[in-house]
Amino acid sequence: MTRRDSILRELGLAPLWRLRECAGQDTQGDMLPAAAAPAGILPSPVVAQAPVQGARAQHIAALGWDELKEAVSACRDCRLCEQRKQAVLGVGDTEADWLFVGEGPGAEEDERGEPFVGQAGKLLDAMLAAIDLKRGKQVYIGNVVKCRPPGNRTPEAEETAACFPFLQRQIELIRPKLIVALGKPAAETLLGAEVKVGAARGRRFDYRGIPLIVTYHPAYLLRNLTDKAKAWEDLCFARSTMADQPGDN
Ligand code: SF4
């Protein structure tokens, strides 16, 4: 058994691998621009979210990595600061081609100060390995909110809005070639529209000129094992989208 077979077996995807090779696969065949989306799939047009304005946002937009890390650590601009042990900015290659964006830190992430280190993180690492990626090497992983929502609840709209300038600045500094939005809150925050993951996956969106792919959050996949096969299709689609980017090998 090859290393990739082992990874896919761990993901519960080995039979699928035999059915569908990822390399060169046109998984969905419909890299539609958002404007061509069938009516009703997404309730509002998906457009790249405009930069958040205001003095705070302008201040954040001028920060370098060190200042950004300090600003996030000290931030008390939404109520998620109240119960956090620490803010979690992100992890990985700060010049990565790939940016994966999740929802927010969980208990282990809050404890350790790194995103995706619990069970969902293990699954994300396996997903990355399945397409020959590795945490920290051409990959940056972050979240929509930097502080743990109590009880791992979904962040409120005002919390994601308050934290969005930090994510915007991260994206500006990293300048990734592709963004993968993991789950609904990440997709909605980045696209500035209501998103149904099941309808949005398999299509190419755009965040300020950067291709954006939507797939399921690993924590969701841990609870919904049958959707792992769809996540595998999405990863293949992401990889083929990346291969189409200028300068990619
Ligand atoms: Fe600040 Fe974001 Fe933490 Fe809210 S979630 S306190 S905006 S760093």
Side-chain angles (χ1 to χ4, degrees):
M1 185 183 294
T2 66
R3 179 171 168 273
R4 176 167 292 178
D5 284 341
S6 303
I7 292 166
L8 290 167
R9 193 166 292 280
E10 191 179 319
L11 286 169
L13 296 173
L16 182 75
W17 174 252
R18 282 196 289 275
L19 285 171
R20 295 181 175 187
E21 281 288 327
C22 183
Q25 172 197 11
D26 184 9
T27 51
Q28 303 291 322
D30 60 350
M31 287 171 60
L32 297 174
I41 287 183
L42 295 170
S44 56
V46 176
V47 293
Q49 179 133 355
V52 176
Q53 299 301 317
R56 174 177 173 269
Q58 285 178 5
H59 170 73
I60 293 170
L63 300 179
W65 275 113
D66 290 344
E67 299 161 308
L68 187 63
K69 190 166 186 182
E70 283 175 23
V72 167
S73 295
C75 180
R76 302 192 65 81
D77 289 336
C78 83
R79 61 182 174 172
L80 293 183
C81 69
E82 292 167 6
Q83 295 184 47
R84 73 179 178 208
K85 288 188 176 159
Q86 58 188 314
V88 182
L89 177 62
V91 68
D93 184 345
T94 54
E95 297 181 341
D97 287 345
W98 293 79
L99 172 62
F100 289 78
V101 180
E103 186 174 316
E108 286 190 61
E109 289 79 8
D110 183 49
E111 192 73 45
R112 290 171 54 181
E114 182 173 333
F116 286 96
V117 291
Q119 286 304 311
K122 284 183 187 160
L123 178 56
L124 179 60
D125 285 341
M127 291 164 69
L128 294 176
I131 53 169
D132 297 324
L133 294 176
K134 191 175 179 189
R135 179 185 294 242
K137 192 174 175 188
Q138 278 303 332
V139 173
Y140 191 94
I141 303 168
N143 278 314
V144 164
V145 293
K146 315 305 186 194
C147 303
R148 182 191 178 203
N152 293 344
R153 66 163 169 76
T154 301
E156 303 284 350
E158 58 268 27
E159 294 159 355
T160 57
C163 217
F164 191 45
F166 292 129
L167 179 58
Q168 286 183 309
R169 186 56 183 153
Q170 285 175 290
I171 296 171
E172 286 167 4
L173 288 168
I174 297 167
R175 301 177 67 183
K177 288 183 182 173
L178 180 74
I179 299 173
V180 179
L182 300 166
K184 184 178 173 73
E188 292 190 335
T189 301
L190 288 162
L191 295 174
E194 186 178 343
V195 173
K196 292 186 167 102
V197 174
R201 52 175 294 275
R203 296 166 52 208
R204 172 178 165 165
F205 296 94
D206 177 276
Y207 171 85
R208 302 182 70 194
I210 303 169
L212 185 148
I213 304 292
V214 177
T215 189
Y216 297 105
H217 192 284
Y220 167 88
L221 294 172
L222 290 172
R223 300 189 303 269
N224 298 272
L225 301 180
T226 54
D227 281 336
K228 280 186 177 179
K230 293 178 185 171
W232 171 241
E233 289 180 348
D234 298 341
L235 291 174
C236 292
F237 179 50
R239 199 167 79 168
S240 69
T241 302
M242 176 63 90
D244 290 340
Q245 297 310 298
D248 193 68
N249 297 320

PDB file of all heavy atoms in Angstrom, residues 56 72 75-78 80-81 84 145-147 162-163 166, ligand 1:
ATOM      1  N   ARG A  56     -10.158  51.897  12.546  1.00  0.00           N
ATOM      2  CA  ARG A  56      -9.582  50.642  13.061  1.00  0.00           C
ATOM      3  C   ARG A  56      -9.117  49.751  11.913  1.00  0.00           C
ATOM      4  O   ARG A  56      -8.005  49.214  11.935  1.00  0.00           O
ATOM      5  CB  ARG A  56     -10.618  49.921  13.926  1.00  0.00           C
ATOM      6  CG  ARG A  56     -10.177  48.536  14.398  1.00  0.00           C
ATOM      7  CD  ARG A  56     -11.226  47.935  15.313  1.00  0.00           C
ATOM      8  NE  ARG A  56     -10.916  46.558  15.662  1.00  0.00           N
ATOM      9  CZ  ARG A  56     -11.337  45.497  14.984  1.00  0.00           C
ATOM     10  NH1 ARG A  56     -12.096  45.667  13.906  1.00  0.00           N
ATOM     11  NH2 ARG A  56     -11.009  44.277  15.373  1.00  0.00           N
ATOM     12  N   VAL A  72      -3.673  41.233  17.498  1.00  0.00           N
ATOM     13  CA  VAL A  72      -4.661  40.174  17.726  1.00  0.00           C
ATOM     14  C   VAL A  72      -4.578  39.681  19.171  1.00  0.00           C
ATOM     15  O   VAL A  72      -5.608  39.465  19.825  1.00  0.00           O
ATOM     16  CB  VAL A  72      -4.439  39.023  16.711  1.00  0.00           C
ATOM     17  CG1 VAL A  72      -5.217  37.777  17.118  1.00  0.00           C
ATOM     18  CG2 VAL A  72      -4.849  39.468  15.319  1.00  0.00           C
ATOM     19  N   CYS A  75      -6.281  42.187  21.335  1.00  0.00           N
ATOM     20  CA  CYS A  75      -7.593  42.672  20.880  1.00  0.00           C
ATOM     21  C   CYS A  75      -8.703  42.331  21.877  1.00  0.00           C
ATOM     22  O   CYS A  75      -8.791  41.215  22.376  1.00  0.00           O
ATOM     23  CB  CYS A  75      -7.914  42.064  19.521  1.00  0.00           C
ATOM     24  SG  CYS A  75      -9.512  42.612  18.882  1.00  0.00           S
ATOM     25  N   ARG A  76      -9.554  43.324  22.121  1.00  0.00           N
ATOM     26  CA  ARG A  76     -10.757  43.127  22.938  1.00  0.00           C
ATOM     27  C   ARG A  76     -11.941  43.780  22.237  1.00  0.00           C
ATOM     28  O   ARG A  76     -12.813  44.379  22.870  1.00  0.00           O
ATOM     29  CB  ARG A  76     -10.546  43.714  24.348  1.00  0.00           C
ATOM     30  CG  ARG A  76      -9.344  43.113  25.084  1.00  0.00           C
ATOM     31  CD  ARG A  76      -9.306  43.478  26.553  1.00  0.00           C
ATOM     32  NE  ARG A  76     -10.415  42.913  27.287  1.00  0.00           N
ATOM     33  CZ  ARG A  76     -10.463  41.654  27.728  1.00  0.00           C
ATOM     34  NH1 ARG A  76      -9.463  40.822  27.490  1.00  0.00           N
ATOM     35  NH2 ARG A  76     -11.518  41.218  28.381  1.00  0.00           N
ATOM     36  N   ASP A  77     -11.961  43.648  20.918  1.00  0.00           N
ATOM     37  CA  ASP A  77     -12.955  44.369  20.131  1.00  0.00           C
ATOM     38  C   ASP A  77     -14.254  43.609  19.909  1.00  0.00           C
ATOM     39  O   ASP A  77     -15.142  44.107  19.214  1.00  0.00           O
ATOM     40  CB  ASP A  77     -12.351  44.772  18.778  1.00  0.00           C
ATOM     41  CG  ASP A  77     -11.320  45.883  18.949  1.00  0.00           C
ATOM     42  OD1 ASP A  77     -11.411  46.622  19.954  1.00  0.00           O
ATOM     43  OD2 ASP A  77     -10.425  46.000  18.100  1.00  0.00           O
ATOM     44  N   CYS A  78     -14.357  42.398  20.443  1.00  0.00           N
ATOM     45  CA  CYS A  78     -15.663  41.743  20.493  1.00  0.00           C
ATOM     46  C   CYS A  78     -15.690  40.868  21.742  1.00  0.00           C
ATOM     47  O   CYS A  78     -14.655  40.635  22.377  1.00  0.00           O
ATOM     48  CB  CYS A  78     -15.963  40.933  19.219  1.00  0.00           C
ATOM     49  SG  CYS A  78     -15.249  39.285  19.181  1.00  0.00           S
ATOM     50  N   LEU A  80     -15.798  37.845  22.253  1.00  0.00           N
ATOM     51  CA  LEU A  80     -15.078  36.564  22.273  1.00  0.00           C
ATOM     52  C   LEU A  80     -13.775  36.650  23.059  1.00  0.00           C
ATOM     53  O   LEU A  80     -13.196  35.633  23.427  1.00  0.00           O
ATOM     54  CB  LEU A  80     -14.793  36.079  20.844  1.00  0.00           C
ATOM     55  CG  LEU A  80     -16.012  35.690  20.010  1.00  0.00           C
ATOM     56  CD1 LEU A  80     -15.594  35.169  18.649  1.00  0.00           C
ATOM     57  CD2 LEU A  80     -16.857  34.648  20.740  1.00  0.00           C
ATOM     58  N   CYS A  81     -13.339  37.866  23.338  1.00  0.00           N
ATOM     59  CA  CYS A  81     -12.116  38.021  24.140  1.00  0.00           C
ATOM     60  C   CYS A  81     -12.345  37.590  25.592  1.00  0.00           C
ATOM     61  O   CYS A  81     -11.392  37.258  26.306  1.00  0.00           O
ATOM     62  CB  CYS A  81     -11.617  39.461  24.100  1.00  0.00           C
ATOM     63  SG  CYS A  81     -12.695  40.612  24.986  1.00  0.00           S
ATOM     64  N   ARG A  84     -11.525  33.660  26.215  1.00  0.00           N
ATOM     65  CA  ARG A  84     -10.385  33.012  25.547  1.00  0.00           C
ATOM     66  C   ARG A  84      -9.216  32.863  26.517  1.00  0.00           C
ATOM     67  O   ARG A  84      -9.063  33.675  27.441  1.00  0.00           O
ATOM     68  CB  ARG A  84      -9.933  33.871  24.359  1.00  0.00           C
ATOM     69  CG  ARG A  84      -9.210  35.129  24.814  1.00  0.00           C
ATOM     70  CD  ARG A  84      -8.720  36.005  23.685  1.00  0.00           C
ATOM     71  NE  ARG A  84      -8.095  37.209  24.221  1.00  0.00           N
ATOM     72  CZ  ARG A  84      -8.037  38.371  23.598  1.00  0.00           C
ATOM     73  NH1 ARG A  84      -8.585  38.515  22.402  1.00  0.00           N
ATOM     74  NH2 ARG A  84      -7.434  39.403  24.161  1.00  0.00           N
ATOM     75  N   VAL A 145     -12.569  33.956  13.016  1.00  0.00           N
ATOM     76  CA  VAL A 145     -12.406  34.658  14.303  1.00  0.00           C
ATOM     77  C   VAL A 145     -11.196  34.062  15.019  1.00  0.00           C
ATOM     78  O   VAL A 145     -10.926  32.869  14.936  1.00  0.00           O
ATOM     79  CB  VAL A 145     -13.668  34.590  15.200  1.00  0.00           C
ATOM     80  CG1 VAL A 145     -14.798  35.371  14.588  1.00  0.00           C
ATOM     81  CG2 VAL A 145     -14.063  33.173  15.524  1.00  0.00           C
ATOM     82  N   LYS A 146     -10.490  34.916  15.711  1.00  0.00           N
ATOM     83  CA  LYS A 146      -9.224  34.510  16.320  1.00  0.00           C
ATOM     84  C   LYS A 146      -9.372  34.050  17.768  1.00  0.00           C
ATOM     85  O   LYS A 146      -8.393  33.562  18.358  1.00  0.00           O
ATOM     86  CB  LYS A 146      -8.214  35.672  16.278  1.00  0.00           C
ATOM     87  CG  LYS A 146      -8.137  36.397  14.937  1.00  0.00           C
ATOM     88  CD  LYS A 146      -7.863  35.475  13.784  1.00  0.00           C
ATOM     89  CE  LYS A 146      -7.658  36.248  12.494  1.00  0.00           C
ATOM     90  NZ  LYS A 146      -7.712  35.372  11.300  1.00  0.00           N
ATOM     91  N   CYS A 147     -10.547  34.233  18.336  1.00  0.00           N
ATOM     92  CA  CYS A 147     -10.762  33.825  19.722  1.00  0.00           C
ATOM     93  C   CYS A 147     -11.869  32.778  19.777  1.00  0.00           C
ATOM     94  O   CYS A 147     -12.832  32.848  19.003  1.00  0.00           O
ATOM     95  CB  CYS A 147     -11.146  35.029  20.586  1.00  0.00           C
ATOM     96  SG  CYS A 147      -9.917  36.344  20.531  1.00  0.00           S
ATOM     97  N   ALA A 162     -16.187  42.040  13.341  1.00  0.00           N
ATOM     98  CA  ALA A 162     -15.138  42.705  14.121  1.00  0.00           C
ATOM     99  C   ALA A 162     -13.770  42.119  13.811  1.00  0.00           C
ATOM    100  O   ALA A 162     -12.753  42.824  13.803  1.00  0.00           O
ATOM    101  CB  ALA A 162     -15.450  42.579  15.612  1.00  0.00           C
ATOM    102  N   CYS A 163     -13.710  40.830  13.545  1.00  0.00           N
ATOM    103  CA  CYS A 163     -12.431  40.157  13.341  1.00  0.00           C
ATOM    104  C   CYS A 163     -11.973  40.162  11.883  1.00  0.00           C
ATOM    105  O   CYS A 163     -10.808  39.884  11.599  1.00  0.00           O
ATOM    106  CB  CYS A 163     -12.535  38.715  13.842  1.00  0.00           C
ATOM    107  SG  CYS A 163     -11.021  38.129  14.625  1.00  0.00           S
ATOM    108  N   PHE A 166      -8.619  41.598  10.489  1.00  0.00           N
ATOM    109  CA  PHE A 166      -7.389  40.821  10.730  1.00  0.00           C
ATOM    110  C   PHE A 166      -7.188  39.778   9.622  1.00  0.00           C
ATOM    111  O   PHE A 166      -6.072  39.580   9.141  1.00  0.00           O
ATOM    112  CB  PHE A 166      -7.458  40.123  12.094  1.00  0.00           C
ATOM    113  CG  PHE A 166      -7.423  41.060  13.271  1.00  0.00           C
ATOM    114  CD1 PHE A 166      -8.365  40.977  14.280  1.00  0.00           C
ATOM    115  CD2 PHE A 166      -6.426  42.026  13.377  1.00  0.00           C
ATOM    116  CE1 PHE A 166      -8.332  41.844  15.365  1.00  0.00           C
ATOM    117  CE2 PHE A 166      -6.381  42.898  14.462  1.00  0.00           C
ATOM    118  CZ  PHE A 166      -7.337  42.796  15.453  1.00  0.00           C
TER     119      PHE A 166
HETATM  120 FE1  SF4 B   1     -10.627  40.685  18.616  1.00  0.00          FE
HETATM  121 FE2  SF4 B   1     -11.194  38.871  16.775  1.00  0.00          FE
HETATM  122 FE3  SF4 B   1     -10.757  38.094  19.289  1.00  0.00          FE
HETATM  123 FE4  SF4 B   1     -12.976  39.427  18.671  1.00  0.00          FE
HETATM  124  S1  SF4 B   1     -12.404  37.379  17.916  1.00  0.00           S
HETATM  125  S2  SF4 B   1     -11.644  39.823  20.436  1.00  0.00           S
HETATM  126  S3  SF4 B   1     -12.247  40.856  17.073  1.00  0.00           S
HETATM  127  S4  SF4 B   1      -9.261  39.046  17.903  1.00  0.00           S
END
